[in-house]
Structures are given as structure tokens and as C-alpha cells.
Amino acid sequence: MAPKDWRAPGPDPLPPVLRAALEVFARHGYHGASIRTIADAAGLSVPGLYHHYPSKQAILRAVAEATMTEMLEHTTAAADDAGSDPAARFDNIVECLARFHMARRDHAFVASTEMRSMEPEVRARHVAQRDTQQKMLEDAIEAGVESGVFECAHTADAARAVASLCVSIASWYRTDGPLSPDEIVQRHLGFARGMVGAARA
Amino acid sequence: MAPKDWRAPGPDPLPPVLRAALEVFARHGYHGASIRTIADAAGLSVPGLYHHYPSKQAILRAVAEATMTEMLEHTTAAADDAGSDPAARFDNIVECLARFHMARRDHAFVASTEMRSMEPEVRARHVAQRDTQQKMLEDAIEAGVESGVFECAHTADAARAVASLCVSIASWYRTDGPLSPDEIVQRHLGFARGMVGAARA
Amino acid sequence: MAPKDWRAPGPDPLPPVLRAALEVFARHGYHGASIRTIADAAGLSVPGLYHHYPSKQAILRAVAEATMTEMLEHTTAAADDAGSDPAARFDNIVECLARFHMARRDHAFVASTEMRSMEPEVRARHVAQRDTQQKMLEDAIEAGVESGVFECAHTADAARAVASLCVSIASWYRTDGPLSPDEIVQRHLGFARGMVGAARA
Amino acid sequence: MAPKDWRAPGPDPLPPVLRAALEVFARHGYHGASIRTIADAAGLSVPGLYHHYPSKQAILRAVAEATMTEMLEHTTAAADDAGSDPAARFDNIVECLARFHMARRDHAFVASTEMRSMEPEVRARHVAQRDTQQKMLEDAIEAGVESGVFECAHTADAARAVASLCVSIASWYRTDGPLSPDEIVQRHLGFARGMVGAARA
DNA sequence: GATGAATGAGGCTTCATTCAT
DNA sequence: GATGAATGAAGCCTCATTCAT
């Protein structure tokens, strides 16, 4: 699809209404966000908002699905991009996750934080996509262990831990923070490699 | 205070009303939890609940403060317990955080998740305690780097990353899961050591 | 106008939009019927519906007036058709009312049920037409009493009772019910004659 | 239960809130009655109303069930009161229905008019009670036909017609109308007897 | 006539909270 | 501490209606 741009996520593809809702969700949480607040943030009246989305839950669903789909596309592209070298695959996935959680900070934050507010069907799809991603990480780690570049006894736990680490970036990253995205990526690559016992440089 | 029991957190010191509220907060979030739901979970009438706490926010505050206080006590005890060896300090703090986020799963989850629902003053205290904890981690890492047992260029980032990893345990740990707390502690100790470039065994 | 066809009411003269609205009104009531539901039933967009009728109330008015006008035309034709014999006049009016409430079931049901939802002016016209009809019945009954074929002390009450009986047919009649219209007419003619003390055969 | 008072229904047993709601339902219909209007009529705030009944539908249900239960009790008492004479049974049931539809005018009007607004389960119970009543009428008519005091070929249709006639009283009766309840009863008894071909005096 | 977008008002219901008993 | 009753404010959502295209 878009195999090369996972390092530079490009402009947010979300329609303006969802982008406004996202901001409100990120600040107040799903239940703390009133439909009126969302409408105001979107520059719409309340019925105007309902013209675009049939319910508050539908807004959350749209946000979550768009986010997970884009994230999975990026992760897949990043992995494909790495060819068959396990260490490169691992690095690419970690870098991709880190970058995504900075470029789509609110999206990723809401998607991971509001899982409990999603209707079962939406949550199920969400969990499935998250698991797919984690499995990609795990496969890379396993391959690395087999080929001797990683030293890691519990690959599934490691994959979850690495993914958690990347997700947690979204909860503190600020565009105007002291570190550039590239610096953050580098440091987290270091942490992640350490977690899987990568051979030291 | 209680310098030896940080490995076995003991029974939840929370009064029953708060424990009930905590469960509801964990499942539905602060804004998704109604006073009536909390009262029901506590086996109280609504005015009965108000007899104990003057507002919903006061309940959240009580939960959050009790949690943070206990966590900081434990962490301090764990660090003190380790004496002056940097690697042991680091290990103890990580183990303590991991154990706390399993033994007080809901407490820690709510405390970290509902920061945005706290009144500023409560949140400020919360952040301060969290930072204190992270600083203890960072100090241990720095000492380890200086003494040559760790290899880590960005100690503050590492401290945050390690703390995040421990916090994230609360979002997936189940008492009846496949791994025992001891196993989980061991594995996360491994990940954490890797993140700070601990000398390999 | 159409003096002979009152026994076989012919196809519904209502334009399709009103016919759709009628169905919705019959099922949900005026206040329970939304403009959108009506538009959907009519296969129109909402503004498309407003292109035909300026308001929901105008739709009700159009339905009610068309119904009452047609019903009064039929009743008049039926009465005229009977010539001067009181018993035949009575029979014809009853038969006409019964047939109309079967052939125009929804129309008659809505017209009688939603009187309270009509604007005063529409309701006034509606009541006047209903009273005219009832007066025709009453006149026939009175003439029958005078000529000795009926035995009825309270002609106005009898007229109202007979009319009510015919109206009530609309609330249970189904095209696919066990009785044919002809059978229903015969039976209700029997009831109506009994109510006015018609001489037994 | 109360075998003697079916002729003098006594004071309305409905709690004040339901009585207020009933009045509003009678005037505007279920869908035309807003919860605010009902609360105002009951002298309550809106949440105050919800303290007593959990939903608008629950109010309708309570009204309908109370009405049907009382009506069926009365009808049963009236029938029992008549002993085994078919004509007396028939008369008593008709008189009882007529009196009930005057004494509980709004109740009966709403119960019969708002069937379409009832949830399926409530409606089912309602229809069952109505049918039970109609069956009592039909049984009396059949017994009368067999004993030769009535002359009626279609007893089920006759029962429905007689019941409809009594129900229709509720749609025009006014306490301050020109006729007394006793007069109305007498006249409708006459109509009803005529419908079943009762032997003339 | 259709479409898409919009809106003030109001729909039903629940919120956190209070108070008399 | 419990109960029953109450309430202003606000929750999500839908109403009838309009208008530019």
C-alpha cells in the first residue's frame, strides 16, 4: 500500500470532526467527554455532529478503527521494509511503533486507554489488531534468538513489554518537549534492544 | 515504617467502601462510574455513601492518595533494604514496583489512569510522588553507570521507561493468569536490566 | 358526483405520499410518527417531503380532509340511493359506513383517532362532517320511528351508537381476516337494525 | 373480592402520580405527552417523577394494568352477581362496562387507545384481559340464544360489537353532559339487547 | 425533486448531591 | 448509618424544519 512512508507518517487522515473528538477524548476520557463539548470542538451544533456520526460510540469506533488500521499498515510496511534480517525487522517495528505513538499521540492514547469504553465488537477487533502487531514483534524476536543475535528466554513476554514501552510514549510525549522524535526513537531502540538481549555493539 | 514487607504487600489496607469504589473505577473509569453504582458495590445506600465521603472526587482522592503513599513507602523500603549496591537497589525497586502493580492492580491502574480526573491539587501530589519514585530509579541507574555495572547513556529516560514497564503490568495482570508473580518479577527484572545495559551474567 | 359506487369504494384516491404517511400514522400515531419515518415510507428525502407538504400538520390535515370528504360523499350517495324508504336509507348508510371503514381502514382509523392532534380549525371541520353524517343516520331513524318500522326512544343516542359501531370496525378489520366484507356488512346491518328496534323479519 | 360495588366504582385507586399522567395521556396521547408535562401535572420535578417510575413506558404500563385489572374484577363481580339467568348476566356485564367507561373514562380511554404504544408484553396482557371480558359476554349471549331469550346468529361478532359500543362511551362521555350515568346505562342496555335480538318487552 | 448539512428546541433519562426522617 | 424523596444540571439523542446546491 504505502510501503515507504512509515517513518514519516504524513498528515493525519482523520476527518476534522473526528480530530476534534479525539482531542476531547484524550483530555477528558470517553465518559468525561460530552457530546456538546465534542460538537463545540468541531465547530458544529449537536445535531450537526449527529449528521456525521450516529452516536458517541460510533465516533469512538471510527477513531479507534482508523487508528488501529493505520498503525497496523505502518507496522506491516516497516517489517516488510526490513527484509529477512531479524535484528533489522525488530528495529524497524520498534521504530515504527515509537514514531506512530508520537505522530499520532492522541489517537494511540485514546485507542489504548478507552478500550474499556468500546462496545464488545469494536474492542474485539481492536485487541485482534494489537495482538497481530505484538505477534510480529514476537516473531522477529524469536528469529533473532534462533539466529543468535538476541538472547531472550521469554519471547512473548518480551514482545508485550516492548510494545508496552512504545505505547507508553504516547502518555508523555509533547511536540514541544526537549527531545526530538529521532532522539526518542534512538533511545527507545536502545532500551528495546536491551530487553531482548541484543548483542552489544 | 514497615521495612521488610515490601515483597509481600499484605492485605489491602483500603476500607471496604473505597475498595468497592476502586473496583468500579477500574472497570468503568471515573466518569463512567456513577455514585449509585459505587454505593451498590459497597452495599450502601447513596446517602450512606455520602456519610463516609463528601463527594465522588473525595473518593478518588482517597483512593489515589492511599495508593501512592503505600507505593512510595514500599519503594523506599525496597531501596533501603538494598544497602549501597547500585545493582541491588535497582533490582529491588523494579521488583517492588512489579509486585505492587500485581498486588494492588486496580489501585495502581486507577491511580495512573485517572490522573486526568483528579483535581489539580491531588494530581500535583500524585505526580510528585511518581517523580520521587522515578528519581530513586534514576539515582540507582546513575550509580550503576558510575560504578560500571550499567551501561546507559540516558538515565532519566531509562528510569521513565523502566517505571512505565512496571506500571503496564497492571493493565494485563490477572491473579489467575498463567504466570506466577515470582515468574513475572523474574522476567521483568531481566527486561529492566537489559534496558540499563546491565552486565550480563 | 359518483352516486353509484359507494358500495365499491374503488382505488384509494390519496396521492402516494399521503398514503405512506397514513400508514405510519396508523401504526405509530401522529406524535409517534417522525417526519423522517414518513419520508422513508414515501421513498422521499426529508426536504423532498417538504416539497409536497409544508408541515407534518399539513399532512395530517390533508389526510383527514380527504378522508372525511370522501366518506361524506359516499354516505350522501348511499342515502340518496335509497329513495324515501326510511329502513332502506338506514340500511344504506350503515352499509356504506361499514364498507368505508373496511376499504379505507387506515384513513378512517387515523381520522377518528388523531382528532386530538389536529389544529382547531381542521378538527372543527372534521367534527362538523362527522355530525352531518350522524344527523343523516338520526333522520333516517326518526323517519323509521314515525313510520312505525323502527322502535327507538332516543334517536340521537342511537345514531351515535350505530356510528360508533361502524367506526370501531376500522380498529380490528384485516383484509386477510376470516370474514368477507359482505359477511361483515350483513352482520353489522343486523346489529344496527337491532339497535333501532327494527321490525323483525 | 368486592362483589357488590361494581355499580358504584368508588374513588379512583390510582396513586396521584398516575392520575396526573393519565390526564395528560388522555389529552395528548402517549407520544404527545412529554415527561415534563406529566411531572408538572403531578406537581413534581422531572427526576422526582423518575423516583416513582423508572420510565415513561412504566407509567403507561402501571396505568393500563391497574385499569384492566379493575375492569376485569368489576366485570367478573357483575357476572357473578347475576346468577345463572343469561339475560341478567348479559345485562349486568353491559351495565358494568358502561358504568366503568364513565367512572374511569380516562383510564379506559387511554388503555384502549394507547395499545399501540405499549411494549409487547404489556399489550399481550392487555389483549388477554380484554378477550376474557369479551368471552364472558359471548358466553352470556350463547346461553341466551340456547335458552331462547336471545336471537343471534353470530355470537362472537355480537360480543365484540357490544363491547365496542361500551368502550366508545369513554370517547364522548362528560361528567357534566346532559345525561346521567343511569340514563346512559339504560339507553345502552336497550341498544345492546337489540343487538342480540333480545325478546321485546 | 434530490442531497447534504445544519439547527433551536425539546425528547427521555441520569447525574451528583441534599435533606428530613 | 439507612430510607425515601427530591432537585438543578446535564447526559445522549431526535424532533420538525430550513437552506444552499
Side-chain angles (χ1 to χ4, degrees):
Chain A
M1 190 79 34
K4 295 210 196 74
D5 61 359
W6 61 267
R7 272 200 175 87
D12 184 355
L14 240 38
V17 172
L18 291 187
R19 206 140 61 209
L22 188 56
E23 204 173 325
V24 181
F25 284 159
R27 183 145 49 242
H28 303 288
Y30 179 75
H31 288 297
S34 91
I35 217 78
R36 249 181 284 267
T37 312
I38 298 172
D40 284 356
L44 288 176
S45 66
V46 169
L49 183 65
Y50 276 93
H51 180 73
H52 295 282
Y53 296 92
S55 69
K56 191 180 165 184
Q57 178 70 215
I59 295 176
L60 177 60
R61 174 215 298 258
V63 166
E65 291 186 348
T67 301
M68 292 309 281
T69 299
E70 195 191 10
M71 176 155 47
L72 198 50
E73 278 173 14
H74 282 215
T75 320
T76 307
D80 289 355
D81 229 23
S84 59
D85 179 39
R89 278 181 86 83
F90 178 80
D91 278 7
N92 268 16
I93 297 174
V94 170
E95 176 175 354
C96 173
L97 286 178
R99 289 200 188 278
F100 189 87
H101 282 83
M102 289 186 279
R104 302 280 186 266
R105 180 182 120 67
D106 284 351
H107 310 55
F109 182 69
V110 166
S112 80
T113 277
E114 296 298 350
M115 270 183 52
R116 71 180 157 206
S117 307
M118 295 173 195
E119 278 167 3
E121 171 223 352
V122 181
R123 179 164 58 232
R125 211 153 36 226
H126 183 279
V127 168
Q129 287 176 295
R130 190 200 57 188
D131 289 350
T132 300
Q133 223 163 227
Q134 233 160 262
K135 190 65 170 49
M136 293 172 65
L137 257 181
E138 192 184 346
D139 288 347
I141 297 172
E142 253 169 12
V145 169
E146 266 161 39
S147 75
V149 297
F150 294 160
E151 196 182 327
C152 179
H154 308 287
T155 55
D157 295 293
R160 177 171 54 201
V162 169
S164 289
L165 180 64
C166 295
V167 169
S168 75
I169 296 175
S171 63
W172 55 261
Y173 174 73
R174 302 289 116 108
T175 315
D176 56 356
L179 296 180
S180 73
D182 284 346
E183 286 172 312
I184 292 170
V185 163
Q186 280 321 115
R187 296 180 187 193
H188 281 79
L189 263 178
F191 301 142
R193 288 173 184 147
M195 291 166 89
V196 296
R200 305 246 175 117
Chain B
M1 188 87 24
K4 296 207 198 73
D5 61 358
W6 62 267
R7 272 202 177 84
D12 184 356
L14 239 40
V17 173
L18 290 188
R19 206 140 62 211
L22 187 56
E23 202 172 327
V24 180
F25 285 159
R27 182 143 50 241
H28 303 288
Y30 178 76
H31 288 296
S34 90
I35 279 284
R36 238 173 288 265
T37 313
I38 297 172
D40 283 359
L44 289 177
S45 66
V46 168
L49 185 65
Y50 276 94
H51 180 81
H52 294 282
Y53 297 92
S55 70
K56 190 178 162 186
Q57 178 69 215
I59 295 176
L60 177 60
R61 174 215 300 259
V63 166
E65 290 186 348
T67 300
M68 291 311 280
T69 300
E70 195 190 10
M71 177 155 47
L72 197 52
E73 277 172 14
H74 282 216
T75 322
T76 309
D80 290 355
D81 229 23
S84 60
D85 178 40
R89 277 182 85 83
F90 179 79
D91 277 8
N92 268 17
I93 297 175
V94 170
E95 176 175 355
C96 174
L97 286 178
R99 288 200 188 279
F100 189 86
H101 282 83
M102 289 186 279
R104 302 282 185 266
R105 180 181 121 67
D106 284 351
H107 309 56
F109 182 70
V110 166
S112 80
T113 277
E114 295 298 349
M115 271 182 51
R116 70 183 156 205
S117 308
M118 295 173 194
E119 279 166 3
E121 170 223 354
V122 181
R123 180 164 57 231
R125 209 155 36 227
H126 183 279
V127 169
Q129 288 177 295
R130 189 199 58 188
D131 288 350
T132 300
Q133 224 164 225
Q134 234 161 261
K135 190 65 171 49
M136 292 172 65
L137 256 183
E138 192 184 346
D139 289 347
I141 298 172
E142 253 169 12
V145 169
E146 268 160 37
S147 76
V149 297
F150 294 159
E151 196 182 327
C152 178
H154 308 286
T155 55
D157 296 294
R160 177 172 54 203
V162 170
S164 289
L165 179 63
C166 295
V167 169
S168 75
I169 295 176
S171 63
W172 55 261
Y173 174 73
R174 302 288 116 106
T175 315
D176 57 355
L179 296 179
S180 74
D182 284 346
E183 286 172 312
I184 292 171
V185 163
Q186 280 321 116
R187 296 179 187 192
H188 281 79
L189 264 178
F191 301 142
R193 288 171 184 150
M195 291 166 88
V196 295
R200 306 246 175 119
Chain C
M1 189 87 25
K4 295 209 196 75
D5 62 357
W6 60 268
R7 271 200 175 87
D12 185 356
L14 239 41
V17 173
L18 291 187
R19 207 141 59 210
L22 188 56
E23 203 173 328
V24 181
F25 284 159
R27 182 144 50 242
H28 302 288
Y30 178 75
H31 287 296
S34 91
I35 280 284
R36 240 174 287 264
T37 313
I38 297 171
D40 284 357
L44 288 178
S45 66
V46 168
L49 184 65
Y50 276 93
H51 180 80
H52 294 282
Y53 297 91
S55 71
K56 191 179 163 187
Q57 178 69 215
I59 296 176
L60 177 61
R61 175 215 299 261
V63 166
E65 290 186 347
T67 301
M68 291 309 282
T69 300
E70 194 190 11
M71 177 155 47
L72 197 51
E73 279 172 13
H74 282 216
T75 321
T76 308
D80 289 355
D81 227 22
S84 59
D85 178 38
R89 278 181 85 84
F90 178 80
D91 278 7
N92 267 18
I93 297 174
V94 169
E95 176 175 354
C96 174
L97 286 178
R99 288 200 189 279
F100 189 86
H101 282 83
M102 289 185 280
R104 301 284 186 266
R105 179 181 121 66
D106 284 352
H107 309 55
F109 183 70
V110 166
S112 80
T113 277
E114 295 298 349
M115 271 183 52
R116 69 181 157 207
S117 307
M118 295 173 195
E119 280 166 2
E121 169 223 352
V122 180
R123 180 163 57 231
R125 210 155 34 230
H126 183 279
V127 168
Q129 288 176 295
R130 188 199 60 188
D131 289 350
T132 300
Q133 223 163 225
Q134 232 160 263
K135 191 65 170 50
M136 293 171 66
L137 255 183
E138 191 184 346
D139 289 347
I141 297 172
E142 252 168 11
V145 169
E146 266 161 38
S147 75
V149 297
F150 293 161
E151 195 182 327
C152 179
H154 308 286
T155 54
D157 296 294
R160 176 171 57 202
V162 169
S164 289
L165 180 64
C166 294
V167 169
S168 76
I169 294 175
S171 63
W172 56 261
Y173 174 74
R174 303 287 116 107
T175 315
D176 56 356
L179 295 180
S180 72
D182 285 346
E183 284 171 313
I184 292 170
V185 163
Q186 279 322 114
R187 294 178 189 194
H188 281 79
L189 263 178
F191 301 142
R193 287 171 185 151
M195 291 166 90
V196 296
R200 308 244 175 117
Chain D
M1 188 76 37
K4 293 205 198 81
D5 62 357
W6 61 267
R7 272 200 176 88
D12 184 355
L14 240 40
V17 173
L18 291 187
R19 207 142 58 212
L22 188 56
E23 204 173 325
V24 181
F25 285 159
R27 183 144 49 243
H28 303 287
Y30 179 75
H31 287 297
S34 92
I35 217 80
R36 251 182 282 266
T37 312
I38 297 172
D40 283 357
L44 289 176
S45 66
V46 168
L49 184 65
Y50 275 91
H51 179 74
H52 296 281
Y53 296 92
S55 70
K56 191 180 166 186
Q57 177 69 213
I59 296 176
L60 177 60
R61 173 215 298 259
V63 166
E65 290 186 346
T67 301
M68 291 310 280
T69 300
E70 195 191 10
M71 177 154 49
L72 198 50
E73 278 172 14
H74 282 214
T75 320
T76 307
D80 289 354
D81 228 23
S84 60
D85 178 39
R89 278 182 87 85
F90 179 79
D91 278 7
N92 268 17
I93 297 174
V94 170
E95 176 174 354
C96 174
L97 286 178
R99 287 197 188 281
F100 189 87
H101 282 82
M102 290 185 280
R104 302 282 186 265
R105 181 182 120 67
D106 284 352
H107 309 56
F109 182 69
V110 167
S112 79
T113 276
E114 295 298 349
M115 271 183 51
R116 70 179 157 206
S117 307
M118 295 174 195
E119 279 166 1
E121 172 222 353
V122 181
R123 181 164 55 232
R125 216 160 25 232
H126 183 280
V127 169
Q129 287 177 295
R130 190 200 59 186
D131 288 351
T132 300
Q133 223 163 225
Q134 234 159 265
K135 191 64 169 49
M136 292 172 65
L137 257 183
E138 192 183 346
D139 289 346
I141 297 172
E142 253 169 11
V145 169
E146 267 161 38
S147 75
V149 297
F150 294 160
E151 196 183 325
C152 178
H154 308 288
T155 56
D157 297 293
R160 176 170 56 201
V162 169
S164 290
L165 180 64
C166 295
V167 169
S168 75
I169 295 175
S171 63
W172 55 260
Y173 174 74
R174 301 290 117 107
T175 315
D176 56 356
L179 296 181
S180 73
D182 285 345
E183 285 172 312
I184 292 170
V185 164
Q186 279 323 115
R187 295 179 188 194
H188 281 79
L189 264 178
F191 300 142
R193 287 173 186 148
M195 292 167 88
V196 296
R200 307 243 175 118

